[in-house]
Amino acid sequence: MPVPRPPKPDPRQLLPRDAYVGQDWFDREQTELFARAWLFAGLVTDVPAPGDYLSVMAGREPLVIVRQADGRLAAFLNICRHRGVVLLEGRGNVAAGISCFYHRWHYNLDGSLRGVPQAGQFPGVVADKARFGLRAASVGEFNGMIFVNADPAPAETLGQWLGRVPDDWGPWRPAELFELPASAIEVAANWKLFIENHVDGLHLWHLHARSVQGLDHDRQYWVARGRHWMFYEPESVAGSIPERRTIRLPAIPGVDALRYGSSVYMLFPNIGIAAGVTFLAIFVVTPLAPDRSRVSFRTFVKPIVVQDFIDDPGLAESLGASAGQLSLGSAAAGDAPFADRLEAAARAGDFVAEDKLAAEAVQRALGSRRFAVGPLASDYEAAITFFQRNLQDFIGDWSG
Ligand code: FES
Ligand SMILES: [Fe+2]
C-alpha cells in the first residue's frame, strides 16, 4: 500500500518529522550537537572546595568537573584510562585524588596518573605515566554558572559562545541566591518540542490563559543573542506583581521596576531560564530517547534574613502557605484523562505541567505519517525557526 504523502509543512518549520522521532537524528544530535556545545553543568557553589566534583553528560560523553587545589576548575572525560569505566558519579569530593574503584588506578586532581597497583604488570604505563592521564575536556564560568564542553579545544570559547548574553543578563546572580529543593520531571516528548514551546510566545495567551496572569503578552519582545534567545514582557499593570504574587518572597536585590515583568531566556541548545522579581529558575532539557526527555529545574530566591520579616510582617505566613507550590510540572502527572490533567494544571497555576502536556500531545501526533506543522505565527512563533536554524548549523540539512 502506498504511504500517504504528508501535507506540505510551513517553510519556516525547518526540521522534518524525523527530527522528532528518528533514532538516527537522536544519535546525530548526541555527537554533533551535545558533544560540541557548551552545556550548563551547575554552579560554582556546587563545587566550592578542592576535590569537589560534578559529573555530567555531554551527549554520550561522560565528563567530570573537578575543583583544583589552586581553586581553578578543570574538566575531564570521566573515563578511566585502564579498562574504561566511568570513574565518578553525581557530585562529591575526591580531595585525595581520583581512585578508580575497579583496579585502583589513581589520578591526581589535575587528571595526571599518580600510580597503579601491581606496577610490575604495567611496565609500559610506569615508564610513560604522562601518557595515561585523564583526557581533557573544557570548562568555563559565567555569572557563577559552570559550563562544560566535551571538546578539549572547542571551536568557540565560552565567551564567544555566549557573545552578548552577559550584557543583557540582568541582576540575577544564582550563586549568591538561596536554592530551593531541585526537581525534575520526565516528558514523553522529544527535547526540541519542549525548547520550541519555551520560545513560543503565542501559547502564553492560550495554553497558559489561567496559569500565567498579570503579564502583558502584547508587549512581549525577544532578541537573538548569537544562537541564544532573550525574551521579556512587562506586567499588565505596572507594579502589581509584588502585591499579587501568592508566594511573597522578598525581591532580589537589583531587580528594579523595569524587571518586574518576566525575563525568559534560552541558552542554546537546551537551557531554559525564567527570572522575575523574586526568583531565578534554570532548567535543562536532557534528551533520553527520541520521544523522551528529562527536564531538571533549579530555582533560586533571595536568602531570607531577619530584615525581610521586619519589612513584611506577613512573610512567615505566606511562606508556610507556599509549601507545595514549588514543584512545577507535577500537576500533569498520573493516569487521569488528558482533559482532567490539563484542568488540574490550570487550577494549580502549574504552567510547566501545561507545557509538558502540550509537548507530549505533539509527540503523540508525530506518530502519524501525515503529521505536518501548519502555518506559524509571523512574530510570536518566529523564534521556533530561529532555534531550528541554529540546530541545523550543527546537524546540517540531513534528513536521515
Ligand atoms: S578500569 Fe579503572 S583501574 Fe581498571
Ligand atoms: Fe509555556
Side-chain angles (χ1 to χ4, degrees):
M1 237 183 49
V3 176
R5 190 126 29 110
K8 234 179 150 26
D10 186 307
R12 289 170 304 152
Q13 165 68 29
L14 303 178
L15 304 181
R17 170 180 171 273
D18 197 45
Y20 304 88
V21 296
Q23 186 65 43
D24 289 351
W25 257 92
F26 180 87
D27 294 342
R28 191 155 168 126
E29 285 174 351
Q30 294 287 297
T31 54
E32 303 298 309
L33 176 65
F34 288 99
R36 292 185 172 171
W38 284 97
L39 303 171
F40 175 67
L43 297 185
V44 291
T45 39
D46 296 337
V47 283
D52 283 351
Y53 73 86
L54 192 57
S55 62
V56 62
M57 293 298 289
R60 296 204 172 96
E61 306 297 322
L63 305 180
V64 63
I65 297 155
V66 185
R67 179 76 68 187
Q68 302 295 291
D70 66 3
R72 285 181 306 117
L73 291 173
F76 309 105
L77 193 62
N78 188 12
I79 295 180
C80 182
R81 292 298 306 278
H82 177 219
R83 290 261 299 286
V85 293
V86 168
L87 284 165
L88 297 169
E89 303 279 349
R91 285 189 206 177
N93 182 280
V94 284
I98 302 165
S99 176
C100 180
F101 69 92
Y102 202 174
H103 315 94
R104 289 289 168 217
W105 281 31
H106 201 90
Y107 304 89
N108 296 307
L109 291 188
D110 66 3
S112 57
L113 182 64
R114 186 185 301 173
V116 304
Q118 287 133 307
Q121 295 282 315
F122 301 97
V125 175
V126 176
D128 200 2
K129 263 196 341 204
R131 269 186 55 218
F132 294 94
L134 298 178
R135 306 274 191 209
S138 300
V139 65
E141 292 175 38
F142 158 58
N143 196 15
M145 302 157 74
I146 302 172
F147 291 80
V148 72
N149 191 311
D151 194 328
E156 296 174 29
T157 64
L158 177 62
Q160 290 166 332
W161 177 267
L162 292 174
R164 288 166 59 201
V165 166
D167 302 340
D168 295 324
W169 178 262
W172 298 278
R173 310 265 169 269
E176 292 167 21
L177 298 175
F178 176 78
E179 184 169 7
L180 300 175
S183 64
I185 57 168
E186 220 172 283
V187 179
N190 184 273
W191 71 278
K192 296 186 291 299
L193 292 178
F194 206 84
I195 294 293
E196 289 172 3
N197 170 78
H198 181 63
V199 301
D200 159 5
L202 183 66
H203 79 292
L204 301 175
W205 277 278
H206 309 291
L207 180 65
H208 298 324
R210 288 158 64 195
S211 59
V212 177
Q213 292 187 356
L215 293 165
D216 188 350
H217 305 322
D218 286 321
R219 288 163 65 203
Q220 64 176 271
Y221 67 88
W222 67 274
V223 291
R225 291 286 176 257
R227 301 183 183 89
H228 317 291
W229 169 93
M230 302 184 93
F231 169 103
Y232 178 74
E233 61 180 13
E235 295 165 282
S236 350
V237 179
S240 68
I241 284 182
E243 311 314 317
R244 207 181 32 75
R245 60 185 194 261
T246 46
I247 303 174
R248 286 207 320 192
L249 294 164
I252 290 173
V255 185
D256 60 26
L258 282 176
R259 291 283 187 177
Y260 271 23
S262 179
S263 295
V264 191
Y265 309 146
M266 185 275 292
L267 301 185
F268 186 80
N270 66 335
I271 305 158
I273 289 157
V277 63
T278 57
F279 73 99
L280 170 74
I282 302 173
F283 69 83
V284 173
V285 188
T286 305
L288 302 175
D291 59 356
R292 216 155 45 80
S293 318
R294 186 178 51 242
V295 188
S296 316
F297 297 90
R298 296 182 69 172
T299 308
F300 305 88
V301 299
K302 178 184 174 293
I304 294 176
V305 295
V306 173
Q307 187 62 42
D308 295 315
F309 290 101
I310 297 168
D311 293 345
D312 181 355
L315 181 61
E317 199 186 328
S318 63
L319 284 179
S322 73
Q325 286 189 32
L326 296 166
S327 52
L328 288 172
S330 55
D335 297 328
F338 185 82
D340 294 350
R341 286 188 287 156
L342 204 53
E343 171 62 24
R347 219 177 315 115
D350 189 340
F351 53 88
V352 174
E354 292 173 333
D355 291 333
K356 167 182 151 81
L357 289 167
E360 291 179 345
V362 178
Q363 191 72 43
R364 286 200 301 281
L366 277 155
S368 166
R369 286 243 168 110
R370 293 163 65 193
F371 176 91
V373 171
L376 297 177
S378 54
D379 298 328
Y380 299 129
E381 291 179 303
I384 293 174
T385 309
F386 166 72
F387 165 69
Q388 296 183 356
R389 191 172 302 122
N390 287 313
L391 188 95
Q392 281 183 327
D393 283 348
F394 287 82
I395 311 296
D397 275 333
W398 190 77
S399 55

